[in-house]
Amino acid sequence: MRTNWRIGSLLGIPLYIDSSWFLILAFVTLINATDAEIQSLAAQSSVLAWLLGLIMALLLFISVLLHELGHSLMARSQGIEVNSITLFLFGGMASIERESRTPPEALQVAIAGPLVSFLLFCLLSLASHLPYLNANLTYICGHLAIINLFLALFNLIPGLPLDGGQIFKAMVWQATGDRWKGLHWAAISGQFIGWLGIILGIFLVLLTADVGGAWLGLMGWFILRNARAYDNLTNLQESLLNLQAGEVMSRNLRVLNAHQTLEEFVQEYVLDQAAANTAYFAASEGRYRGLIRVADLQAIERSFWSEKQLLDIAHPLTEIATVEEKTPLVTVVQKLETIQDPMLTVLTPASAVAGVIDRGDILKAIAIKYQIPLEETDIERAREGVYPSYLPLNVIAAALDKSERPKIGEPSLMSRPREDGR
């Protein structure tokens, strides 16, 4: 089912609207149209009141769009590709290709959005005090100025996924020299803020039965969920960078006599379904002769199987895809995406076969490390080249290759129906 619609582009950046945006647009329009001050300005005209309500709602999202554009243009100035800007239920999200490479650059991208919102607050405040301005325009400028001030201030709260969390992360990164520590601390702060919002929201609903309390609780839940996602993602990043092939590889391999005939090989091993995922290596005279690919048998007439030996079809270790035991897991994942074989051969420092590693081994190791429930079918599908959607290790590894982090959207948040924050 389609959830995003492209509505055009702004300065070359594709603009999208999520289906949830229409719901919040209608809700914000309703809140505005029923506001007592707008009712007064509309002179009891329901049509004019609804029109003003819709205009206010659209201007709110234009403010969000400009806020995200601030992030996007700052990221562009650092050579970072901006994939898109999307408006959705909680505001907006600028999707960037990678993170900034240094703490000061990360700080610049994070602060750019609130600075744009604060600049809009100043300009709209001045506009609202212009003489001879229509009463409706005066109200719209003044109200929109307050919204943009809230946008700037709310997003400076120091917890992910808010801008303040990105700023906090950059500051910890700068102080410690450790990007991961910055992400962890900012994610923990975001989780605390999320829980605080949920608790206060429930308290306000019980105390006043006001819809603002429900919205605050919903916002808290959104912040909590995204802060946890950041933390989980950071853990995966660190694991892919710190774990080594030798820690994850399996010994699911067989070393066979290189002079064994193909017919003997098929009878003893290939027909054994239990050995379907086993890697085979041929050896003779005390050294490895190479990897045996079962698929190569299809290119040889069966009548020759009794004559040809494994040595005849062995692929030397120097000609197959290999990694060393100390190779970071991120490199292993990336390399698996570039070869046809379902597994890599892991070599010792002496260039002997230490083991083999495939996507299933990696997925299983990550799941065990973080106690993630995993079905056997997930492991089998990974071996076929398809990671589960909740653990897209290939996507994470590909992005780590660019900037030591996966693609992460920069979400803006709406804290109450009439005001939005990034």
Side-chain angles (χ1 to χ4, degrees):
M1 179 179 177
R2 188 177 181 182
T3 59
N4 283 357
W5 287 266
R6 181 166 178 172
I7 59 173
S9 62
L10 184 61
L11 300 180
I13 302 172
L15 301 180
Y16 291 89
I17 289 180
D18 185 82
S19 57
S20 63
W21 179 81
F22 294 99
L23 176 64
I24 197 63
L25 178 67
F27 185 46
V28 174
T29 300
L30 171 64
I31 296 296
N32 285 329
T34 55
D35 181 80
E37 192 163 357
I38 286 186
Q39 289 282 341
S40 175
L41 288 171
Q44 305 306 316
S45 170
S46 59
V47 174
L48 181 56
W50 280 98
L51 180 60
L52 287 173
L54 177 61
I55 290 172
M56 290 296 300
L58 291 174
L59 288 174
L60 162 64
F61 281 100
I62 290 175
S63 297
V64 174
L65 182 60
L66 292 175
H67 180 106
E68 293 303 323
L69 189 62
H71 292 299
S72 301
L73 294 181
M74 182 58 72
R76 264 190 177 181
S77 71
Q78 298 175 11
I80 302 171
E81 182 181 350
V82 181
N83 298 321
S84 65
I85 295 177
T86 303
L87 298 179
F88 70 116
L89 178 65
F90 291 104
M93 178 176 71
S95 176
I96 62 176
E97 185 71 19
R98 61 173 176 83
E99 189 185 25
S100 302
R101 299 190 186 280
T102 66
E105 289 182 343
L107 181 63
Q108 292 168 14
V109 173
I111 200 68
L115 284 178
V116 168
S117 296
F118 186 74
L119 178 61
L120 288 173
F121 159 71
C122 295
L123 294 176
L124 289 166
S125 294
L126 290 174
S128 68
H129 290 90
L130 290 175
Y132 311 114
L133 195 66
N134 178 280
N136 288 339
L137 291 177
T138 299
Y139 172 78
I140 289 174
C141 288
H143 190 72
L144 202 59
I146 295 173
I147 287 176
N148 277 278
L149 177 61
F150 180 83
L151 243 167
L153 296 178
F154 175 78
N155 279 280
L156 292 177
I157 296 174
L160 289 173
L162 299 172
D163 292 336
Q166 298 286 355
I167 294 170
F168 182 35
K169 178 205 70 179
M171 293 173 64
V172 175
W173 179 8
Q174 178 69 39
T176 64
D178 189 335
R179 175 184 299 177
W180 312 114
K181 188 172 291 185
L183 277 165
H184 278 304
W185 278 101
I188 290 171
S189 178
Q191 291 178 63
F192 172 78
I193 291 166
W195 277 116
L196 184 62
I198 292 172
I199 293 170
L200 288 177
I202 294 173
F203 178 76
L204 287 175
V205 168
L206 294 177
L207 190 66
T208 65
D210 183 59
V211 69
W215 189 258
L216 179 61
L218 184 61
M219 283 300 307
W221 168 81
F222 181 81
I223 292 173
L224 175 63
R225 187 188 69 170
N226 280 275
R228 282 178 171 172
Y230 265 97
D231 206 28
N232 292 337
L233 199 53
T234 302
N235 288 333
L236 286 175
Q237 293 172 326
E238 287 188 284
S239 294
L240 290 179
L241 287 169
N242 296 332
L243 284 177
Q244 298 178 348
E247 301 175 74
V248 178
M249 70 180 186
S250 73
R251 293 288 301 174
N252 190 22
L253 60 89
R254 299 234 181 173
V255 181
L256 309 177
N257 185 343
H259 299 298
Q260 187 176 36
T261 66
L262 301 187
E263 187 171 27
E264 291 171 338
F265 171 63
V266 170
Q267 291 296 327
E268 291 184 37
Y269 300 104
V270 177
L271 297 180
D272 183 4
Q273 294 298 316
N277 295 317
T278 303
Y280 300 101
F281 294 89
S284 65
E285 286 78 49
R287 64 189 182 93
Y288 286 95
R289 297 297 181 174
L291 173 71
I292 304 301
R293 294 189 177 117
V294 176
D296 290 345
L297 294 170
Q298 299 175 2
I300 302 173
E301 289 188 26
R302 189 160 187 170
S303 59
F304 293 126
W305 285 7
S306 60
E307 302 173 12
K308 286 188 174 290
Q309 301 178 349
L310 293 179
L311 183 61
D312 297 322
I313 64 170
H315 298 269
L317 298 184
T318 55
E319 298 178 8
I320 63 172
T322 62
V323 292
E324 296 180 354
E325 290 177 290
K326 293 185 178 181
T327 301
L329 211 53
V330 61
T331 304
V332 176
V333 175
Q334 292 166 359
K335 200 163 187 176
L336 280 168
E337 297 302 308
T338 64
I339 63 174
Q340 293 183 344
D341 287 330
M343 61 182 68
L344 287 166
T345 301
V346 183
L347 301 179
T348 68
S351 296
V353 176
V356 291
I357 186 169
D358 63 21
R359 295 177 181 85
D361 297 322
I362 299 169
L363 184 64
K364 195 183 331 183
I366 294 294
I368 291 173
K369 183 176 178 64
Y370 296 107
Q371 299 181 340
I372 301 172
L374 200 64
E375 300 290 337
E376 189 62 34
T377 53
D378 291 330
I379 298 175
E380 292 305 316
R381 282 177 56 80
R383 289 198 170 107
E384 295 170 2
V386 182
Y387 289 104
S389 59
Y390 56 87
L391 281 177
L393 300 181
N394 54 335
V395 176
I396 297 172
L400 277 170
D401 187 42
K402 297 178 181 178
S403 63
E404 293 191 349
R405 65 162 282 176
K407 298 177 184 178
I408 294 178
E410 300 278 349
S412 292
L413 304 178
M414 198 174 286
S415 68
R416 50 179 176 168
R418 298 170 60 120
E419 299 177 5
D420 161 278
R422 155 126 161 63

